[in-house]
């Protein structure tokens, strides 16, 4: 199996809900569910790999408070070299709604100060040689994002394939954000986008045509994946052929981080030299299981139903 790493945003998620209708100012409501957990795109993907028994590295930073210490403890030895920032740890409060949608309130916290030096403090290019680096949280990690050019140079010099999932820009898909994303994708071997992201970037309503358009601006032999939620996923591989899979029908409990879990399972299969169709199937199956179980279950060796032997 080729080596794997994830680089990006790890923060605290406090999930509450469901809440409907939205409460009036000055009032209080009781909700049925609460969960304090590791969050952020990088954190969600790493948790999935951890549960699936996949070996990986994770480069992140944390704040200098009790939440930062808690995040570090969640990843054991993998967090030993994470830099500690003097800021508070970034906190996201997610309010879920009965229709499956959610609303987030997020503090800036430590994430903007995650830097290229922080990445190099954890990951050695020689160890990741020929492997895959999942790069995520682009619009939250200001210092690292400013050095993406140098990061891509480093990845290229070690034969590392970058799999990019930018996440949603805080100020929306402005012309500037679209232009920046296109520039990053031009140096990424894999794009992991959801349907809205792909159609917005391409300016094309059809997700298949949007995927083809975006891939035409990526390096030769690139893979683009479009995650379509309950409609499954599609991908265009190195040969230019389209493949797609349907998603299992499940009763949704919590969709937060579904795309991040998909990324982890997809890349784990790809690093094991599975065909592209099998990679899509792995991504949709593991993500579907994760969003339909409470507590969250990934179906891997460290899941409650399948203990490590």
């Amino acid at each position: 199996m080729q080596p794997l790493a994830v680089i990006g945003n790890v923060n605290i998620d406090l999930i509450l809900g469901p809440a409907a209708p939205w409460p009036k100012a000055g009032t209080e409501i009781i909700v049925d569910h609460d969960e304090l957990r590791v969050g952020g795109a990088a954190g969600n993907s790493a948790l999935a790999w951890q549960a699936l028994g996949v070996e990986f590295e994770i480069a992140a930073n944390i704040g200098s408070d009790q939440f930062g210490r808690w995040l570090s403890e969640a990843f054991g030895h993998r967090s030993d070299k994470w830099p500690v920032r003097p800021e508070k740890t970034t906190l996201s409060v997610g309010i879920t709604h009965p229709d499956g949608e959610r609303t987030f309130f997020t503090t800036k916290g430590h994430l903007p100060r995650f830097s290229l030096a922080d990445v190099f403090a954890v990951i050695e290019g020689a160890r990741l040689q020929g492997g895959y680096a999942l790069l995520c949280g682009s619009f939250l990690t200001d210092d690292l994002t400013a050095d993406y050019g140098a990061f891509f140079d480093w990845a290229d010099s070690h034969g590392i394939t970058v799999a990019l999932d930018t996440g949603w820009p805080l100020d929306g898909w402005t012309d500037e954000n679209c232009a920046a994303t296109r520039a990053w994708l031009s140096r990424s071997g894999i794009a992991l986008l959801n349907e809205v992201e792909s159609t917005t970037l391409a300016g094309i309503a059809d997700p298949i045509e949007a995927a083809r358009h975006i891939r035409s601006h990526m390096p030769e032999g690139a893979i683009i994946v479009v995650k379509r939620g309950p409609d499954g996923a599609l991908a265009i591989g190195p040969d230019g052929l389209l493949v797609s899979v349907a998603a299992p029908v499940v009763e949704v409990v919590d969709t937060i981080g579904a795309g991040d879990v998909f990324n982890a399972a997809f890349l784990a299969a790809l690093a094991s030299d599975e065909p592209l169709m099998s990679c899509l199937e792995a991504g949709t199956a593991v993500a579907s299981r994760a969003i339909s179980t409470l507590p969250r279950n990934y179906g891997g060796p460290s899941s409650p139903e399948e203990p490590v032997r």
Side-chain angles (χ1 to χ4, degrees):
M1 183 173 182
Q2 292 146 320
L4 289 166
V6 59
I7 297 161
N9 53 321
V10 178
N11 56 261
I12 294 288
D13 274 357
L14 174 59
I15 313 301
L16 300 169
W22 192 258
K24 293 181 180 180
T27 66
E28 181 179 6
I29 64 170
I30 300 295
V31 296
D32 295 330
H33 170 66
D34 71 274
E35 186 177 2
L36 183 70
R37 68 190 190 201
V38 174
N44 291 330
S45 295
L47 285 181
W49 278 338
Q50 197 163 270
L52 293 170
V54 173
E55 186 52 46
F56 69 95
E57 293 183 283
I58 174 170
N61 68 342
I62 50 176
S64 56
D65 55 13
Q66 68 272 31
F67 281 147
R69 293 189 291 273
W70 187 75
L71 286 175
S72 179
E73 290 169 1
F75 289 101
H77 69 90
R78 292 188 175 94
S79 66
D80 287 347
K81 296 180 181 178
W82 287 4
V84 179
R85 292 292 311 175
E87 292 83 10
K88 291 182 178 179
T89 298
T90 302
L91 171 67
S92 278
V93 178
I95 309 299
T96 62
H97 307 292
D99 62 359
E101 292 299 320
R102 66 266 192 187
T103 303
F104 280 102
F105 299 86
T106 303
T107 63
K108 272 194 170 183
H110 71 287
L111 288 180
R113 301 286 73 84
F114 183 49
S115 69
L116 187 60
D118 294 345
V119 175
F120 294 156
V122 177
I123 297 178
E124 294 178 10
R127 282 206 310 269
L128 197 55
Q129 184 91 26
Y132 296 93
L134 173 57
L135 182 63
C136 43
S138 305
F139 296 107
L140 300 171
T141 57
D142 297 0
D143 289 357
L144 174 59
T145 304
D147 276 339
Y148 265 11
F151 172 82
F152 283 112
D153 289 343
W154 168 81
D156 289 345
S157 72
H158 292 284
I160 299 165
T161 300
V162 177
L164 180 68
D165 185 346
T166 64
W168 195 267
L170 298 180
D171 53 348
W173 286 102
T174 62
D175 289 344
E176 182 181 359
N177 288 334
C178 286
T181 300
R182 293 187 192 103
W184 303 331
L185 287 169
S186 73
R187 301 197 64 184
S188 301
I190 303 169
L192 296 160
L193 307 174
N194 65 35
E195 188 165 338
V196 175
E197 290 164 350
S198 61
T199 55
T200 302
L201 280 173
I204 300 171
D206 180 79
I208 296 175
E209 293 307 314
R212 288 196 174 110
H213 176 81
I214 293 169
R215 185 178 175 275
S216 71
H217 297 284
M218 294 177 67
E220 185 176 354
I223 297 171
I224 180 165
V225 176
V226 179
K227 297 168 283 187
R228 307 187 68 199
D231 294 324
L234 63 87
I236 300 173
D239 55 8
L241 298 179
L242 173 73
V243 294
S244 63
V245 300
V249 177
V250 297
E251 185 175 342
V252 175
V253 174
D254 174 8
T255 62
I256 295 171
D260 307 321
V261 175
F262 176 100
N263 292 349
F266 174 89
L267 289 173
L270 191 66
S272 298
D273 295 322
E274 293 289 334
L276 188 55
M277 177 71 79
S278 299
C279 297
L280 288 182
E281 290 171 343
T284 53
V286 176
S288 296
R289 180 166 184 146
I291 67 172
S292 60
T293 51
L294 186 68
R296 181 160 282 190
N297 186 301
Y298 304 88
S302 63
S303 298
E305 298 175 12
E306 300 177 34
V308 175
R309 291 176 174 82

